[in-house]
Amino acid sequence: MLMTDRDSWLGVEMRHLAALDAIARERSFSGAARALGYTQSAISQQLALLERIVGERLVERPGGPRPVSLTPAGEVLLRHGRRVVDQLGAARADLEAWSAGSAGELRVGTYHTVGAKILPRVVGRLAGAVPDVRVGLVERPDEGELLSLVERGELDLTFMLFPPAPGPFASVELLRDPFMLLVADHSPVAEQDRRPTLADVARLPLIAYDRVRDVTRPEAYLRGTPDVVFRSNDDETIHGLVAAGMGAALLPRLSVDRGYPGVRAIELSAGLPPRVIGLAWHRDRDPLPAAREFVAVTERVCEELRGEHPDAYAAASTGRSSSA
């Protein structure tokens, strides 16, 4: 008899979901057993019990050396199961932080632009406000990786770009960073007596960012298919290739080094929305006092940046937003 009533689902255990996840990743029972440190028979038993509890076949077993795969029902359960496992990781992180008290480490995700222009000011001031807390930084070129670490409880908060990616996140906007056109000094565009339009930019070979969400790619606002000759997330590389005449680049103002030899940064006429920088954290976690202080200090630093360059940086909208 299948255990399909609601109370039977209380028999689902974390080890069952971990086994399903390992089977999906390894595409074999033996691989799942090696990944989790179990015997293959233990993996088979855990899956069989899980299938009995939910009343559905979760894994296709083709037999022989062919890889196994999840059924549609298995895919549905795995999506929910991974959230449960991630939530447990967040709970563990909260408990470890509670045990550490006011001391400990604040784990913050960042990417290159923020690390160069905003983060040094924030870390310096935070050391004076909460001297017992160490700031552990994790840098990734892809903000999606950083948000995944927040979801699993491996980061306390991270810098990110709006709009927020889907997930269990709360967030606050910090700064609206406008895009500029970076060209070589000898480029005809640099000699124009007017600001270039998006139509002008669309005719140029471009060096663009790599591994960012499509909604944050500035070239997505150009008509037609832009001629992207190279992609990189390293701002110095982009500046060097622009100076060498390989192409132009649409860069946020925070990424532009006006002192770099052989390049010129030009304001655009209109039509390109700014990049919106924010901070995100897990909405179901109890924020550490140090995390709340980090957010407050970062907001003050960004307000100072706007004051230093009032014509360049627009104020971010206040308040937090969540995405399920």
Side-chain angles (χ1 to χ4, degrees), residues 255-288:
S255 297
V256 171
D257 180 0
R258 292 180 178 273
Y260 197 96
V263 300
R264 189 179 306 182
I266 306 172
E267 302 280 352
L268 295 168
S269 62
L272 193 60
R275 183 182 65 161
V276 183
I277 299 171
L279 277 170
W281 56 94
H282 201 299
R283 64 168 178 244
D284 296 328
R285 287 191 61 191
D286 184 20
L288 297 169

PDB file of all heavy atoms in Angstrom, residues 255-288:
ATOM      1  N   SER A 255      33.613  51.473 -13.113  1.00  0.00           N
ATOM      2  CA  SER A 255      34.641  50.623 -13.718  1.00  0.00           C
ATOM      3  C   SER A 255      35.635  51.404 -14.561  1.00  0.00           C
ATOM      4  O   SER A 255      36.651  50.854 -14.986  1.00  0.00           O
ATOM      5  CB  SER A 255      33.984  49.541 -14.593  1.00  0.00           C
ATOM      6  OG  SER A 255      33.190  48.682 -13.816  1.00  0.00           O
ATOM      7  N   VAL A 256      35.342  52.654 -14.841  1.00  0.00           N
ATOM      8  CA  VAL A 256      36.185  53.441 -15.744  1.00  0.00           C
ATOM      9  C   VAL A 256      37.384  54.021 -14.996  1.00  0.00           C
ATOM     10  O   VAL A 256      37.228  54.650 -13.947  1.00  0.00           O
ATOM     11  CB  VAL A 256      35.368  54.576 -16.391  1.00  0.00           C
ATOM     12  CG1 VAL A 256      36.282  55.529 -17.156  1.00  0.00           C
ATOM     13  CG2 VAL A 256      34.309  54.000 -17.321  1.00  0.00           C
ATOM     14  N   ASP A 257      38.574  53.816 -15.552  1.00  0.00           N
ATOM     15  CA  ASP A 257      39.810  54.408 -15.035  1.00  0.00           C
ATOM     16  C   ASP A 257      40.183  55.558 -15.966  1.00  0.00           C
ATOM     17  O   ASP A 257      40.755  55.347 -17.043  1.00  0.00           O
ATOM     18  CB  ASP A 257      40.912  53.357 -14.984  1.00  0.00           C
ATOM     19  CG  ASP A 257      42.231  53.909 -14.447  1.00  0.00           C
ATOM     20  OD1 ASP A 257      42.280  55.119 -14.117  1.00  0.00           O
ATOM     21  OD2 ASP A 257      43.201  53.132 -14.349  1.00  0.00           O
ATOM     22  N   ARG A 258      39.848  56.769 -15.547  1.00  0.00           N
ATOM     23  CA  ARG A 258      40.086  57.928 -16.410  1.00  0.00           C
ATOM     24  C   ARG A 258      41.569  58.217 -16.605  1.00  0.00           C
ATOM     25  O   ARG A 258      41.951  58.931 -17.530  1.00  0.00           O
ATOM     26  CB  ARG A 258      39.382  59.156 -15.839  1.00  0.00           C
ATOM     27  CG  ARG A 258      37.852  59.059 -15.899  1.00  0.00           C
ATOM     28  CD  ARG A 258      37.205  60.303 -15.322  1.00  0.00           C
ATOM     29  NE  ARG A 258      35.766  60.251 -15.411  1.00  0.00           N
ATOM     30  CZ  ARG A 258      35.054  60.650 -16.452  1.00  0.00           C
ATOM     31  NH1 ARG A 258      35.673  61.137 -17.519  1.00  0.00           N
ATOM     32  NH2 ARG A 258      33.744  60.575 -16.443  1.00  0.00           N
ATOM     33  N   GLY A 259      42.413  57.671 -15.762  1.00  0.00           N
ATOM     34  CA  GLY A 259      43.846  57.889 -15.904  1.00  0.00           C
ATOM     35  C   GLY A 259      44.544  56.855 -16.753  1.00  0.00           C
ATOM     36  O   GLY A 259      45.765  56.942 -16.945  1.00  0.00           O
ATOM     37  N   TYR A 260      43.795  55.882 -17.294  1.00  0.00           N
ATOM     38  CA  TYR A 260      44.426  54.837 -18.084  1.00  0.00           C
ATOM     39  C   TYR A 260      44.909  55.435 -19.409  1.00  0.00           C
ATOM     40  O   TYR A 260      44.150  56.107 -20.112  1.00  0.00           O
ATOM     41  CB  TYR A 260      43.438  53.698 -18.349  1.00  0.00           C
ATOM     42  CG  TYR A 260      44.095  52.417 -18.804  1.00  0.00           C
ATOM     43  CD1 TYR A 260      44.383  51.415 -17.883  1.00  0.00           C
ATOM     44  CD2 TYR A 260      44.440  52.204 -20.137  1.00  0.00           C
ATOM     45  CE1 TYR A 260      45.001  50.228 -18.279  1.00  0.00           C
ATOM     46  CE2 TYR A 260      45.058  51.026 -20.539  1.00  0.00           C
ATOM     47  CZ  TYR A 260      45.333  50.045 -19.609  1.00  0.00           C
ATOM     48  OH  TYR A 260      45.943  48.887 -20.011  1.00  0.00           O
ATOM     49  N   PRO A 261      46.171  55.210 -19.782  1.00  0.00           N
ATOM     50  CA  PRO A 261      46.699  55.840 -21.000  1.00  0.00           C
ATOM     51  C   PRO A 261      46.049  55.280 -22.267  1.00  0.00           C
ATOM     52  O   PRO A 261      45.815  54.075 -22.394  1.00  0.00           O
ATOM     53  CB  PRO A 261      48.192  55.487 -20.958  1.00  0.00           C
ATOM     54  CG  PRO A 261      48.285  54.272 -20.091  1.00  0.00           C
ATOM     55  CD  PRO A 261      47.195  54.400 -19.086  1.00  0.00           C
ATOM     56  N   GLY A 262      45.753  56.186 -23.196  1.00  0.00           N
ATOM     57  CA  GLY A 262      45.276  55.781 -24.514  1.00  0.00           C
ATOM     58  C   GLY A 262      43.791  55.580 -24.640  1.00  0.00           C
ATOM     59  O   GLY A 262      43.319  55.134 -25.689  1.00  0.00           O
ATOM     60  N   VAL A 263      43.009  55.901 -23.587  1.00  0.00           N
ATOM     61  CA  VAL A 263      41.557  55.739 -23.682  1.00  0.00           C
ATOM     62  C   VAL A 263      40.865  57.040 -23.275  1.00  0.00           C
ATOM     63  O   VAL A 263      41.440  57.882 -22.599  1.00  0.00           O
ATOM     64  CB  VAL A 263      41.048  54.582 -22.792  1.00  0.00           C
ATOM     65  CG1 VAL A 263      41.678  53.261 -23.193  1.00  0.00           C
ATOM     66  CG2 VAL A 263      41.290  54.861 -21.313  1.00  0.00           C
ATOM     67  N   ARG A 264      39.626  57.147 -23.721  1.00  0.00           N
ATOM     68  CA  ARG A 264      38.804  58.292 -23.339  1.00  0.00           C
ATOM     69  C   ARG A 264      37.403  57.786 -23.008  1.00  0.00           C
ATOM     70  O   ARG A 264      36.831  56.973 -23.746  1.00  0.00           O
ATOM     71  CB  ARG A 264      38.747  59.314 -24.471  1.00  0.00           C
ATOM     72  CG  ARG A 264      38.089  60.637 -24.051  1.00  0.00           C
ATOM     73  CD  ARG A 264      38.077  61.638 -25.182  1.00  0.00           C
ATOM     74  NE  ARG A 264      39.420  61.862 -25.733  1.00  0.00           N
ATOM     75  CZ  ARG A 264      39.664  62.722 -26.716  1.00  0.00           C
ATOM     76  NH1 ARG A 264      38.658  63.399 -27.284  1.00  0.00           N
ATOM     77  NH2 ARG A 264      40.893  62.875 -27.157  1.00  0.00           N
ATOM     78  N   ALA A 265      36.859  58.245 -21.887  1.00  0.00           N
ATOM     79  CA  ALA A 265      35.504  57.888 -21.468  1.00  0.00           C
ATOM     80  C   ALA A 265      34.550  59.003 -21.848  1.00  0.00           C
ATOM     81  O   ALA A 265      34.794  60.175 -21.538  1.00  0.00           O
ATOM     82  CB  ALA A 265      35.462  57.645 -19.964  1.00  0.00           C
ATOM     83  N   ILE A 266      33.478  58.657 -22.533  1.00  0.00           N
ATOM     84  CA  ILE A 266      32.543  59.639 -23.080  1.00  0.00           C
ATOM     85  C   ILE A 266      31.150  59.375 -22.525  1.00  0.00           C
ATOM     86  O   ILE A 266      30.687  58.228 -22.479  1.00  0.00           O
ATOM     87  CB  ILE A 266      32.511  59.559 -24.622  1.00  0.00           C
ATOM     88  CG1 ILE A 266      33.923  59.703 -25.196  1.00  0.00           C
ATOM     89  CG2 ILE A 266      31.588  60.611 -25.195  1.00  0.00           C
ATOM     90  CD1 ILE A 266      33.991  59.446 -26.682  1.00  0.00           C
ATOM     91  N   GLU A 267      30.479  60.437 -22.118  1.00  0.00           N
ATOM     92  CA  GLU A 267      29.086  60.327 -21.686  1.00  0.00           C
ATOM     93  C   GLU A 267      28.206  60.015 -22.891  1.00  0.00           C
ATOM     94  O   GLU A 267      28.433  60.532 -23.995  1.00  0.00           O
ATOM     95  CB  GLU A 267      28.617  61.637 -21.043  1.00  0.00           C
ATOM     96  CG  GLU A 267      29.437  62.083 -19.840  1.00  0.00           C
ATOM     97  CD  GLU A 267      29.056  61.366 -18.570  1.00  0.00           C
ATOM     98  OE1 GLU A 267      28.044  60.622 -18.595  1.00  0.00           O
ATOM     99  OE2 GLU A 267      29.764  61.542 -17.564  1.00  0.00           O
ATOM    100  N   LEU A 268      27.205  59.170 -22.679  1.00  0.00           N
ATOM    101  CA  LEU A 268      26.256  58.853 -23.739  1.00  0.00           C
ATOM    102  C   LEU A 268      25.134  59.880 -23.759  1.00  0.00           C
ATOM    103  O   LEU A 268      24.839  60.532 -22.756  1.00  0.00           O
ATOM    104  CB  LEU A 268      25.670  57.459 -23.523  1.00  0.00           C
ATOM    105  CG  LEU A 268      26.667  56.293 -23.635  1.00  0.00           C
ATOM    106  CD1 LEU A 268      26.042  55.019 -23.109  1.00  0.00           C
ATOM    107  CD2 LEU A 268      27.101  56.119 -25.075  1.00  0.00           C
ATOM    108  N   SER A 269      24.479  60.003 -24.908  1.00  0.00           N
ATOM    109  CA  SER A 269      23.418  60.990 -25.034  1.00  0.00           C
ATOM    110  C   SER A 269      22.205  60.627 -24.186  1.00  0.00           C
ATOM    111  O   SER A 269      21.682  61.448 -23.451  1.00  0.00           O
ATOM    112  CB  SER A 269      23.007  61.149 -26.504  1.00  0.00           C
ATOM    113  OG  SER A 269      22.498  59.927 -27.003  1.00  0.00           O
ATOM    114  N   ALA A 270      21.733  59.387 -24.271  1.00  0.00           N
ATOM    115  CA  ALA A 270      20.563  58.939 -23.519  1.00  0.00           C
ATOM    116  C   ALA A 270      20.245  57.516 -23.949  1.00  0.00           C
ATOM    117  O   ALA A 270      20.843  56.970 -24.877  1.00  0.00           O
ATOM    118  CB  ALA A 270      19.361  59.852 -23.770  1.00  0.00           C
ATOM    119  N   GLY A 271      19.266  56.925 -23.272  1.00  0.00           N
ATOM    120  CA  GLY A 271      18.711  55.668 -23.741  1.00  0.00           C
ATOM    121  C   GLY A 271      19.228  54.412 -23.084  1.00  0.00           C
ATOM    122  O   GLY A 271      18.672  53.337 -23.280  1.00  0.00           O
ATOM    123  N   LEU A 272      20.289  54.507 -22.276  1.00  0.00           N
ATOM    124  CA  LEU A 272      20.847  53.326 -21.639  1.00  0.00           C
ATOM    125  C   LEU A 272      20.626  53.427 -20.132  1.00  0.00           C
ATOM    126  O   LEU A 272      21.184  54.312 -19.475  1.00  0.00           O
ATOM    127  CB  LEU A 272      22.339  53.210 -21.948  1.00  0.00           C
ATOM    128  CG  LEU A 272      23.016  51.880 -21.617  1.00  0.00           C
ATOM    129  CD1 LEU A 272      22.377  50.744 -22.394  1.00  0.00           C
ATOM    130  CD2 LEU A 272      24.499  51.958 -21.937  1.00  0.00           C
ATOM    131  N   PRO A 273      19.807  52.556 -19.551  1.00  0.00           N
ATOM    132  CA  PRO A 273      19.540  52.659 -18.115  1.00  0.00           C
ATOM    133  C   PRO A 273      20.790  52.357 -17.310  1.00  0.00           C
ATOM    134  O   PRO A 273      21.646  51.570 -17.729  1.00  0.00           O
ATOM    135  CB  PRO A 273      18.450  51.607 -17.879  1.00  0.00           C
ATOM    136  CG  PRO A 273      18.593  50.645 -18.998  1.00  0.00           C
ATOM    137  CD  PRO A 273      19.075  51.439 -20.175  1.00  0.00           C
ATOM    138  N   PRO A 274      20.934  52.959 -16.140  1.00  0.00           N
ATOM    139  CA  PRO A 274      22.129  52.716 -15.324  1.00  0.00           C
ATOM    140  C   PRO A 274      22.123  51.319 -14.732  1.00  0.00           C
ATOM    141  O   PRO A 274      21.088  50.668 -14.614  1.00  0.00           O
ATOM    142  CB  PRO A 274      22.019  53.768 -14.220  1.00  0.00           C
ATOM    143  CG  PRO A 274      20.550  53.991 -14.081  1.00  0.00           C
ATOM    144  CD  PRO A 274      19.984  53.872 -15.474  1.00  0.00           C
ATOM    145  N   ARG A 275      23.288  50.864 -14.352  1.00  0.00           N
ATOM    146  CA  ARG A 275      23.406  49.628 -13.573  1.00  0.00           C
ATOM    147  C   ARG A 275      23.072  49.962 -12.120  1.00  0.00           C
ATOM    148  O   ARG A 275      23.580  50.933 -11.565  1.00  0.00           O
ATOM    149  CB  ARG A 275      24.830  49.100 -13.693  1.00  0.00           C
ATOM    150  CG  ARG A 275      25.071  47.785 -12.994  1.00  0.00           C
ATOM    151  CD  ARG A 275      26.514  47.363 -13.113  1.00  0.00           C
ATOM    152  NE  ARG A 275      27.400  48.291 -12.420  1.00  0.00           N
ATOM    153  CZ  ARG A 275      28.642  47.996 -12.056  1.00  0.00           C
ATOM    154  NH1 ARG A 275      29.146  46.823 -12.361  1.00  0.00           N
ATOM    155  NH2 ARG A 275      29.385  48.870 -11.417  1.00  0.00           N
ATOM    156  N   VAL A 276      22.206  49.177 -11.505  1.00  0.00           N
ATOM    157  CA  VAL A 276      21.776  49.437 -10.132  1.00  0.00           C
ATOM    158  C   VAL A 276      22.453  48.431  -9.207  1.00  0.00           C
ATOM    159  O   VAL A 276      22.217  47.226  -9.300  1.00  0.00           O
ATOM    160  CB  VAL A 276      20.246  49.357  -9.992  1.00  0.00           C
ATOM    161  CG1 VAL A 276      19.833  49.708  -8.564  1.00  0.00           C
ATOM    162  CG2 VAL A 276      19.564  50.293 -10.984  1.00  0.00           C
ATOM    163  N   ILE A 277      23.304  48.939  -8.324  1.00  0.00           N
ATOM    164  CA  ILE A 277      24.062  48.104  -7.402  1.00  0.00           C
ATOM    165  C   ILE A 277      23.286  47.971  -6.097  1.00  0.00           C
ATOM    166  O   ILE A 277      22.719  48.945  -5.595  1.00  0.00           O
ATOM    167  CB  ILE A 277      25.446  48.709  -7.138  1.00  0.00           C
ATOM    168  CG1 ILE A 277      26.231  48.801  -8.451  1.00  0.00           C
ATOM    169  CG2 ILE A 277      26.229  47.897  -6.107  1.00  0.00           C
ATOM    170  CD1 ILE A 277      27.525  49.571  -8.321  1.00  0.00           C
ATOM    171  N   GLY A 278      23.272  46.774  -5.534  1.00  0.00           N
ATOM    172  CA  GLY A 278      22.580  46.561  -4.274  1.00  0.00           C
ATOM    173  C   GLY A 278      23.276  45.530  -3.414  1.00  0.00           C
ATOM    174  O   GLY A 278      24.319  44.977  -3.775  1.00  0.00           O
ATOM    175  N   LEU A 279      22.707  45.290  -2.245  1.00  0.00           N
ATOM    176  CA  LEU A 279      23.138  44.232  -1.344  1.00  0.00           C
ATOM    177  C   LEU A 279      21.971  43.280  -1.137  1.00  0.00           C
ATOM    178  O   LEU A 279      20.816  43.706  -1.051  1.00  0.00           O
ATOM    179  CB  LEU A 279      23.560  44.800   0.014  1.00  0.00           C
ATOM    180  CG  LEU A 279      24.980  45.349   0.159  1.00  0.00           C
ATOM    181  CD1 LEU A 279      25.124  46.073   1.488  1.00  0.00           C
ATOM    182  CD2 LEU A 279      26.009  44.228   0.058  1.00  0.00           C
ATOM    183  N   ALA A 280      22.258  41.988  -1.047  1.00  0.00           N
ATOM    184  CA  ALA A 280      21.210  40.992  -0.822  1.00  0.00           C
ATOM    185  C   ALA A 280      21.630  40.043   0.290  1.00  0.00           C
ATOM    186  O   ALA A 280      22.817  39.797   0.507  1.00  0.00           O
ATOM    187  CB  ALA A 280      20.940  40.207  -2.116  1.00  0.00           C
ATOM    188  N   TRP A 281      20.628  39.506   0.999  1.00  0.00           N
ATOM    189  CA  TRP A 281      20.850  38.523   2.039  1.00  0.00           C
ATOM    190  C   TRP A 281      19.656  37.575   2.060  1.00  0.00           C
ATOM    191  O   TRP A 281      18.648  37.805   1.394  1.00  0.00           O
ATOM    192  CB  TRP A 281      21.051  39.197   3.398  1.00  0.00           C
ATOM    193  CG  TRP A 281      19.921  40.101   3.801  1.00  0.00           C
ATOM    194  CD1 TRP A 281      18.841  39.789   4.572  1.00  0.00           C
ATOM    195  CD2 TRP A 281      19.759  41.488   3.448  1.00  0.00           C
ATOM    196  NE1 TRP A 281      18.015  40.883   4.721  1.00  0.00           N
ATOM    197  CE2 TRP A 281      18.559  41.939   4.038  1.00  0.00           C
ATOM    198  CE3 TRP A 281      20.527  42.383   2.683  1.00  0.00           C
ATOM    199  CZ2 TRP A 281      18.101  43.241   3.892  1.00  0.00           C
ATOM    200  CZ3 TRP A 281      20.053  43.685   2.540  1.00  0.00           C
ATOM    201  CH2 TRP A 281      18.866  44.109   3.143  1.00  0.00           C
ATOM    202  N   HIS A 282      19.778  36.497   2.814  1.00  0.00           N
ATOM    203  CA  HIS A 282      18.714  35.496   2.885  1.00  0.00           C
ATOM    204  C   HIS A 282      17.577  36.051   3.730  1.00  0.00           C
ATOM    205  O   HIS A 282      17.771  36.398   4.897  1.00  0.00           O
ATOM    206  CB  HIS A 282      19.255  34.198   3.500  1.00  0.00           C
ATOM    207  CG  HIS A 282      18.433  32.988   3.179  1.00  0.00           C
ATOM    208  ND1 HIS A 282      17.114  32.868   3.562  1.00  0.00           N
ATOM    209  CD2 HIS A 282      18.741  31.836   2.514  1.00  0.00           C
ATOM    210  CE1 HIS A 282      16.644  31.699   3.157  1.00  0.00           C
ATOM    211  NE2 HIS A 282      17.603  31.056   2.506  1.00  0.00           N
ATOM    212  N   ARG A 283      16.395  36.114   3.159  1.00  0.00           N
ATOM    213  CA  ARG A 283      15.287  36.765   3.860  1.00  0.00           C
ATOM    214  C   ARG A 283      14.821  35.975   5.080  1.00  0.00           C
ATOM    215  O   ARG A 283      14.160  36.531   5.967  1.00  0.00           O
ATOM    216  CB  ARG A 283      14.114  36.977   2.909  1.00  0.00           C
ATOM    217  CG  ARG A 283      13.478  35.712   2.382  1.00  0.00           C
ATOM    218  CD  ARG A 283      12.147  36.005   1.693  1.00  0.00           C
ATOM    219  NE  ARG A 283      11.593  34.767   1.173  1.00  0.00           N
ATOM    220  CZ  ARG A 283      11.389  34.510  -0.106  1.00  0.00           C
ATOM    221  NH1 ARG A 283      11.714  35.423  -1.019  1.00  0.00           N
ATOM    222  NH2 ARG A 283      10.884  33.361  -0.497  1.00  0.00           N
ATOM    223  N   ASP A 284      15.137  34.665   5.150  1.00  0.00           N
ATOM    224  CA  ASP A 284      14.687  33.847   6.270  1.00  0.00           C
ATOM    225  C   ASP A 284      15.714  33.724   7.380  1.00  0.00           C
ATOM    226  O   ASP A 284      15.451  33.069   8.390  1.00  0.00           O
ATOM    227  CB  ASP A 284      14.311  32.439   5.772  1.00  0.00           C
ATOM    228  CG  ASP A 284      13.130  32.466   4.821  1.00  0.00           C
ATOM    229  OD1 ASP A 284      12.261  33.330   4.996  1.00  0.00           O
ATOM    230  OD2 ASP A 284      13.094  31.628   3.898  1.00  0.00           O
ATOM    231  N   ARG A 285      16.868  34.323   7.208  1.00  0.00           N
ATOM    232  CA  ARG A 285      17.887  34.299   8.252  1.00  0.00           C
ATOM    233  C   ARG A 285      17.767  35.531   9.133  1.00  0.00           C
ATOM    234  O   ARG A 285      17.347  36.594   8.687  1.00  0.00           O
ATOM    235  CB  ARG A 285      19.290  34.240   7.648  1.00  0.00           C
ATOM    236  CG  ARG A 285      19.674  32.914   7.033  1.00  0.00           C
ATOM    237  CD  ARG A 285      21.154  32.896   6.707  1.00  0.00           C
ATOM    238  NE  ARG A 285      21.959  33.076   7.906  1.00  0.00           N
ATOM    239  CZ  ARG A 285      23.267  33.314   7.898  1.00  0.00           C
ATOM    240  NH1 ARG A 285      23.900  33.410   6.749  1.00  0.00           N
ATOM    241  NH2 ARG A 285      23.924  33.445   9.024  1.00  0.00           N
ATOM    242  N   ASP A 286      18.147  35.355  10.395  1.00  0.00           N
ATOM    243  CA  ASP A 286      18.170  36.474  11.322  1.00  0.00           C
ATOM    244  C   ASP A 286      19.484  37.220  11.106  1.00  0.00           C
ATOM    245  O   ASP A 286      20.550  36.685  11.418  1.00  0.00           O
ATOM    246  CB  ASP A 286      18.076  35.956  12.761  1.00  0.00           C
ATOM    247  CG  ASP A 286      17.988  37.086  13.777  1.00  0.00           C
ATOM    248  OD1 ASP A 286      17.621  38.205  13.376  1.00  0.00           O
ATOM    249  OD2 ASP A 286      18.304  36.837  14.953  1.00  0.00           O
ATOM    250  N   PRO A 287      19.444  38.439  10.558  1.00  0.00           N
ATOM    251  CA  PRO A 287      20.707  39.127  10.233  1.00  0.00           C
ATOM    252  C   PRO A 287      21.557  39.371  11.478  1.00  0.00           C
ATOM    253  O   PRO A 287      21.063  39.768  12.527  1.00  0.00           O
ATOM    254  CB  PRO A 287      20.241  40.454   9.611  1.00  0.00           C
ATOM    255  CG  PRO A 287      18.833  40.215   9.187  1.00  0.00           C
ATOM    256  CD  PRO A 287      18.272  39.229  10.167  1.00  0.00           C
ATOM    257  N   LEU A 288      22.849  39.098  11.351  1.00  0.00           N
ATOM    258  CA  LEU A 288      23.776  39.402  12.425  1.00  0.00           C
ATOM    259  C   LEU A 288      23.855  40.915  12.638  1.00  0.00           C
ATOM    260  O   LEU A 288      23.687  41.690  11.694  1.00  0.00           O
ATOM    261  CB  LEU A 288      25.169  38.883  12.076  1.00  0.00           C
ATOM    262  CG  LEU A 288      25.342  37.373  11.899  1.00  0.00           C
ATOM    263  CD1 LEU A 288      26.704  37.084  11.295  1.00  0.00           C
ATOM    264  CD2 LEU A 288      25.173  36.683  13.227  1.00  0.00           C
TER     265      LEU A 288
END
